[in-house]
Amino acid sequence: MECLQLSEKYKNLTGLIIGYYSLGEYFLSQNKNDSAVYYFSKSYELSHKNNLFQYVLINHLGLMAALINQKKFSAAIDTGKKALKYVDLLHSEDKRYTIYKNLGFSYASVGDFKNAYDYLLQAHQLFLKTSNAETQRNINELLIKYETGQKEKLLMKKDLELIKSQMEINKSKYQIGFLILLLMIFLLIFTAWLFISKQKEKRKKEKLQLMAVIEGEEKERKRISEQLHDTVGSEIAAIKFDLEKNDTFFSIPSQIKDRLDSVYDELRTISHNLMPASFKEFPLNDLLKNYCIENSREHFKIYFHSNLSNEDNINPAMKSIIYRMIQELVNNARKHSLSQVCHVTLNLKGKYLITSVEDEGKGMEIKDMKNGQGLMTIKSRTEALGGKFLIETSSNQGTVIHIMLPVT
């Protein structure tokens, strides 16, 4: 059984044939003929399929003996006739005598005494031809050894030793292969770790660069806002004061005063949009709500919606980024959508803040998405910060732009 298990494990054909044959011989010696027939048949099938005729012959002999014990004499006769063909092919005269003897016995058992006589006579003549009084005892001893499987067992022992030697070689090969496989797996893991580390470092640098750019933009907006307020705003205020002071000497059309007031108010709005109150001092909800109110017009209403109740996790830099993104998206909607309504929404879900800007206008074309520098800037910055950017749009059904960002 050990030979059979090892042969099956290492796919050794000779070991399988010998293993099955040995089990057949064992069960034949124990008079367990059904099991003997099964294992002899398994060994025969493999031998015949692979043209190993010496094993085919000995399996025929084993089967013939087991079938005679089972009193299946007709099957034993068929097996014996097949065995004689391989005797002729292999010139195994030592096995011919046993086949003749068993065929004679089988024919006598089925009542065919003519064939029984012929085969027993041939066995007797073969015996007389090849032996004398002294050698008859030797032939009988050889036949007994054959019938008990001693000769084949010696062959099997040699084959088993060869199989064990081959198994040791295979074992060494498998061990070396396993070590090589482990080394390859380690190299793959190490390479993947290096790649991931480099990607993390790259994203970290990109994020730091982006934050530096955003900080620079905020400083520039502050500078421009202050200049507008301190220079242009002051000049407009001075002009308005002079006009009001001289109104007693000559009449100034009210249209000029109104346009001047409108320009001054628009300048204040632009200046405030460029640099609203400090992001550190005011909640994002209040900043965006004020932005929507101040920039809402008769022909373009802006509505603000939010579920933010606690902004402790949102740092000032993130507030600035979200505020500027909403500014850009609202301005795009005002200029291009042909919509009269715009909705700005903030939703906090777990560690992510989802910002949405929706209009009810004409929708966007693919080329508009690709050519929109502002949209592409928002998309790239969102992804650099570990977020997601999504556009939903269809013709005359409006556009919704979603930005998901980690709040920390």
Side-chain angles (χ1 to χ4, degrees):
M1 289 299 290
E2 181 183 359
C3 168
L4 199 58
Q5 291 171 353
L6 292 172
S7 299
E8 287 177 345
K9 180 178 179 181
Y10 294 103
K11 309 297 182 186
N12 188 291
L13 176 63
T14 304
L16 287 171
I17 292 171
I18 294 173
Y20 285 131
Y21 176 80
S22 298
L23 286 171
E25 283 285 342
Y26 170 77
F27 285 116
L28 183 63
S29 68
Q30 299 297 314
N31 206 28
K32 296 179 180 179
N33 297 294
D34 290 341
S35 297
V37 168
Y38 172 78
Y39 285 108
F40 281 137
S41 298
K42 293 281 287 184
S43 181
Y44 164 75
E45 289 172 4
L46 288 175
S47 306
H48 186 268
K49 183 178 179 181
N50 292 277
N51 296 322
L52 298 174
F53 300 129
Q54 69 274 24
Y55 293 114
V56 172
L57 178 57
I58 63 173
N59 278 296
H60 275 314
L61 292 171
L63 276 170
M64 195 175 185
L67 290 169
I68 289 172
N69 289 343
Q70 290 179 317
K71 301 188 184 304
K72 296 180 180 179
F73 300 111
S74 295
I77 291 169
D78 290 338
T79 304
K81 289 181 177 180
K82 292 177 182 176
L84 284 175
K85 295 179 181 179
Y86 291 99
V87 168
D88 295 334
L89 179 66
L90 298 171
H91 305 291
S92 299
E93 296 301 323
D94 57 323
K95 296 177 178 60
R96 189 186 298 274
Y97 171 78
T98 303
I99 297 170
Y100 283 161
K101 184 180 69 172
N102 286 337
L103 280 172
F105 178 76
S106 298
Y107 273 116
S109 299
V110 298
D112 188 345
F113 298 108
K114 182 180 182 306
N115 277 321
Y117 173 79
D118 290 341
Y119 278 110
L120 288 172
L121 179 60
Q122 289 184 72
H124 179 67
Q125 289 174 345
L126 182 64
F127 180 79
L128 293 176
K129 181 179 178 181
T130 58
S131 66
N132 53 37
E134 181 64 28
T135 59
Q136 283 179 10
R137 288 189 295 273
N138 294 331
I139 292 173
N140 287 332
E141 184 180 346
L142 288 172
L143 290 172
I144 292 169
K145 284 184 179 180
Y146 164 71
E147 291 171 354
T148 57
Q150 290 301 314
K151 186 175 181 180
E152 284 69 25
K153 287 178 182 177
L154 291 173
L155 292 173
M156 282 184 241
K157 184 177 179 181
K158 292 180 180 179
D159 286 335
L160 280 173
E161 290 174 354
L162 181 62
I163 290 169
K164 287 181 179 179
S165 175
Q166 186 63 42
M167 287 176 182
E168 290 298 324
I169 295 172
N170 289 340
K171 185 177 178 181
S172 299
K173 289 181 179 178
Y174 288 139
Q175 289 174 341
I176 294 170
F178 181 70
L179 290 174
I180 293 172
L181 179 62
L182 282 179
L183 179 61
M184 291 176 65
I185 292 172
F186 173 76
L187 289 174
L188 284 173
I189 293 172
F190 182 70
T191 303
W193 177 79
L194 281 180
F195 177 77
I196 292 170
S197 298
K198 288 180 180 179
Q199 290 297 108
K200 285 183 178 179
E201 188 65 25
K202 181 182 177 182
R203 285 195 294 270
K204 184 178 178 181
K205 288 181 179 179
E206 289 176 348
K207 194 170 183 178
L208 289 173
Q209 290 171 353
L210 174 60
M211 298 307 293
V213 169
I214 291 171
E215 184 179 355
E217 289 176 350
E218 291 300 320
K219 288 181 180 178
E220 184 64 13
R221 286 191 180 96
K222 182 178 180 182
R223 184 186 67 79
I224 294 172
S225 175
E226 289 173 350
Q227 283 187 350
L228 285 174
H229 182 270
D230 296 341
T231 57
V232 181
S234 298
E235 285 297 320
I236 293 174
I239 292 170
K240 183 180 176 183
F241 177 76
D242 289 341
L243 289 175
E244 289 174 348
K245 183 175 68 173
N246 295 318
D247 194 24
T248 56
F249 299 103
F250 53 89
S251 176
I252 299 174
S254 61
Q255 287 181 327
I256 294 177
K257 291 182 178 180
D258 291 342
R259 290 181 66 183
L260 198 58
D261 288 338
S262 177
V263 170
Y264 185 71
D265 291 340
E266 190 67 27
L267 179 65
R268 286 184 60 192
T269 300
I270 293 171
S271 177
H272 183 69
N273 287 342
L274 281 170
M275 184 49 60
S278 172
F279 291 108
K280 294 182 180 179
E281 297 175 6
F282 293 92
L284 182 61
N285 260 340
D286 294 347
L287 292 170
L288 288 174
K289 185 176 181 181
N290 290 336
Y291 169 79
C292 293
I293 292 171
E294 291 176 4
N295 288 273
S296 189
R297 300 290 184 268
E298 185 68 26
H299 62 282
F300 189 77
K301 298 289 186 182
I302 307 174
Y303 299 99
F304 179 67
H305 317 276
S306 174
N307 75 343
L308 287 179
S309 57
N310 185 355
E311 300 184 18
D312 293 343
N313 291 333
I314 304 177
N315 62 42
M318 188 60 68
K319 289 181 184 180
S320 170
I321 292 167
I322 294 170
Y323 186 90
R324 296 307 178 192
M325 287 180 174
I326 288 176
Q327 273 188 314
E328 177 68 24
L329 295 175
V330 170
N331 284 334
N332 282 349
R334 187 199 310 272
K335 293 176 183 177
H336 308 297
S337 70
L338 303 182
S339 174
Q340 295 184 344
V341 176
C342 181
H343 297 274
V344 177
T345 305
L346 288 181
N347 281 315
L348 185 62
K349 290 188 177 181
K351 296 181 180 180
Y352 288 89
L353 184 63
I354 302 173
T355 304
S356 302
V357 176
E358 179 179 4
D359 64 62
E360 300 175 1
K362 64 178 183 177
M364 294 179 65
E365 300 290 337
I366 294 178
K367 63 179 181 179
D368 296 332
M369 300 179 199
K370 292 182 178 179
N371 295 332
Q373 185 62 39
L375 285 179
M376 291 298 100
T377 299
I378 292 173
K379 183 176 184 296
S380 63
R381 289 187 174 183
T382 300
E383 292 172 351
L385 292 169
K388 295 180 180 179
F389 180 85
L390 176 65
I391 298 178
E392 298 179 20
T393 185
S394 58
S395 181
N396 297 320
Q397 298 295 318
T399 300
V400 186
I401 298 177
H402 303 284
I403 300 168
M404 178 187 289
L405 286 171
V407 294
T408 54

